[in-house]
Amino acid sequence: MKIGIIGLPGSGKTTIFNALTGGVAEVSAYQKGKKDPNLAVVKVPDSRLDRLSAMYNPKKTTHAQVQYVDIGGTVSAGEGMESSMHELLRLLHPVDALVHVVRNFDRPGEPPRAEEDLDALESELILSDLIILEKRVERLEKEIVKARKGDPKELELLKKAGEILEGGEALRGYPEIAQSQMLRGYAFLSAKPCIVVLNTGDEVELGTTGLQLPNATVLVELKGRLEMELAQLSPEEAELFREDLGLEEPATFRLIKESYQLLGLISLFTVGKDEVRAWPIRQNTPAQKAAGTIHSDMEKGFIRAEVVSYDDLMACGSHSAAQKAGKVRLEGKNYLVQDGDIVDIRFNV
Ligand SMILES: Nc1nc2c(ncn2[C@@H]2O[C@H](COP(=O)(O)OP(=O)(O)OP(=O)(O)O)[C@@H](O)[C@H]2O)c(=O)[nH]1
Ligand SMILES: [Mg+2]
């Protein structure tokens, strides 16, 4: 599961990336001509996992993970746009969702223009999709008429998508199109789920910038530079600063949690003396398939899943107490795993 960080040049993508990862990737790289994306795997914070870990005291605690790619110097309109768009497409093709960073801090001589910046890049995503789409429609129409190959259904969907894009809207708000298997291969950028990150300067109060969000996006506002600096301190130091600033948890936690949700992921837990672990699975995954996330043998030889919900386990205080209270269930292969289920797979190979 990979998330691409995009935004106009200098909007703070690498700063946010560093805040997410506690890393020290070089900021302002675009001006220096660096093009290689920064890549990092980030743990998904989960207080439930922490409490389970305290209950079982395992040798190892393993969080679910999300990957972030920071793509340096994303397109700006005008000269060279076509080639930078091409490069952008190549880099963004494999990502599952987008984090769109918008500058909301002063730059010498350039006060923030969050709304305009947001619209500018959103329009470029739409335009880029439209270019791909029009070429494809043209070819498909010819194929269908001349050679009687090519799928008319695909053409119909593409035309529908074209109308939406021409109306200036992203495809992500239209599940029929954004989630269509038939159109998957095109990897339309505006069809990818998207979080808008408003990167607010230290001197501006959070929540005071009005912003009209594009269709079907989620907003997370944070102070990127401050968060980056905090992420680079030791946990003890960071905690002290946070207390001083009246911050409860890193703002990036919300961003990571939102991205996890945006990807349609929920967590199931496995617990034991060796390891307590959160596993990312897609919403509405049946138990047998979910078992395959843990180990392919568990899917193949699946018999039953022993399940207790996180809330029931915590309310009862221990697994055996939950069992006595009748809260531990045996579920079959078609049971849809719920977020926070603690699962023990019985299998036989
Ligand atoms: N005041 C302030 N400055 C910031 C903030 N975030 C980033 N900056 C500054 O803005 C400049 C650009 O930040 P980067 O994180 O490199 O931005 P970027 O989007 O990765 O830039 P490119 O990769 O060059 O497109 C740097 O000088 C940062 O220190 C912020 O929250 N507040
Ligand atoms: Mg950068």
Side-chain angles (χ1 to χ4, degrees):
M1 286 294 154
K2 217 189 233 182
I3 300 189
I5 303 177
I6 61 168
L8 294 181
S11 54
K13 298 178 292 296
T14 305
T15 302
I16 302 284
F17 177 83
N18 285 339
L20 285 167
T21 60
V24 287
E26 191 186 12
V27 296
S28 293
Y30 180 67
Q31 284 78 359
K32 294 178 193 153
K34 177 179 179 276
K35 280 284 185 187
D36 290 342
N38 300 307
L39 185 69
V41 173
V42 173
K43 283 184 197 169
V44 180
D46 190 336
S47 58
R48 297 172 303 181
L49 188 70
D50 301 336
R51 284 191 64 193
L52 287 171
S53 196
M55 184 183 261
Y56 285 89
N57 201 14
K59 289 186 198 129
K60 196 169 138 196
T61 301
T62 310
H63 288 75
Q65 298 179 332
V66 179
Q67 268 195 325
Y68 289 89
V69 211
D70 161 31
I71 290 145
T74 314
V75 289
S76 55
E79 221 174 308
M81 182 183 141
E82 193 128 337
S83 70
S84 64
M85 207 46 167
H86 187 76
E87 178 67 3
L88 180 68
L89 280 177
R90 191 181 65 76
L91 293 170
L92 287 181
H93 198 275
V95 309
D96 303 289
L98 301 174
V99 163
H100 178 170
V101 178
V102 181
R103 177 173 70 95
N104 191 28
F105 55 86
D106 264 325
R107 211 157 38 197
E110 279 186 278
R113 303 179 317 151
E115 182 99 29
E116 283 99 323
D117 286 359
L118 177 60
D119 286 348
L121 187 50
E122 173 84 351
S123 304
E124 295 201 30
L125 298 180
I126 291 171
L127 184 64
S128 137
D129 286 354
L130 204 52
I131 292 170
I132 297 176
L133 185 139
E134 279 172 352
K135 277 187 195 146
R136 179 62 188 149
V137 165
E138 209 175 295
R139 255 213 337 259
L140 207 55
E141 273 176 337
K142 276 190 200 142
E143 273 176 20
I144 290 172
V145 175
K146 278 195 192 148
R148 295 181 180 277
K149 59 175 196 188
D151 191 338
K153 192 104 203 279
E154 183 181 340
L155 184 61
E156 193 189 315
L157 268 179
L158 282 172
K159 283 190 167 168
K160 226 180 248 177
E163 279 167 27
I164 295 165
L165 293 168
E166 286 194 21
E169 269 196 280
L171 298 174
R172 68 179 86 85
Y174 297 84
E176 183 205 0
I177 288 164
Q179 282 151 35
S180 152
Q181 284 301 321
M182 211 169 238
L183 303 186
R184 236 189 130 74
Y186 299 109
F188 290 127
L189 296 181
S190 82
K192 294 181 193 282
C194 181
I195 295 177
V196 173
V197 168
L198 189 60
N199 183 17
T200 296
D202 304 348
E203 63 294 344
V204 183
E205 203 181 323
L206 291 175
T208 58
T209 309
L211 200 61
Q212 181 88 34
L213 284 181
N215 196 7
T217 56
V218 179
L219 177 71
V220 174
E221 182 181 0
L222 48 80
K223 300 191 175 222
R225 198 163 64 179
L226 179 68
E227 292 292 333
M228 175 178 105
E229 283 163 4
L230 288 175
Q232 287 163 354
L233 297 175
S234 73
E236 297 78 26
E237 278 177 311
E239 181 66 35
L240 284 177
F241 269 97
R242 262 178 224 296
E243 270 173 26
D244 265 3
L245 296 166
L247 303 171
E248 285 195 354
E249 57 169 26
T252 46
F253 279 19
R254 224 195 107 212
L255 176 54
I256 301 169
K257 288 183 208 166
E258 291 280 0
S259 356
Y260 195 66
Q261 269 182 16
L262 194 70
L263 294 169
L265 297 174
I266 58 172
S267 293
L268 76 76
F269 299 109
T270 52
V271 294
K273 284 202 184 75
D274 287 333
E275 189 182 32
V276 166
R277 180 162 181 169
W279 301 86
I281 56 166
R282 291 212 174 265
Q283 277 158 18
N284 298 318
T285 304
Q288 183 167 14
K289 180 128 194 291
T293 307
I294 304 172
H295 199 289
S296 56
D297 283 351
M298 290 190 177
E299 184 172 354
K300 253 185 269 162
F302 183 93
I303 302 169
R304 284 199 178 290
E306 197 189 83
V307 181
V308 57
S309 77
Y310 172 82
D311 289 339
D312 284 344
L313 179 64
M314 287 301 155
C316 295
S318 74
H319 198 271
S320 57
Q323 206 137 27
K324 274 193 204 122
K327 298 293 186 190
V328 179
R329 298 162 271 139
L330 280 178
E331 300 282 4
K333 62 180 180 182
N334 295 323
Y335 167 72
L336 298 183
V337 176
Q338 303 296 305
D339 185 38
D341 276 353
I342 291 135
V343 174
D344 188 12
I345 306 290
R346 310 234 175 117
F347 68 109
N348 186 3
V349 279

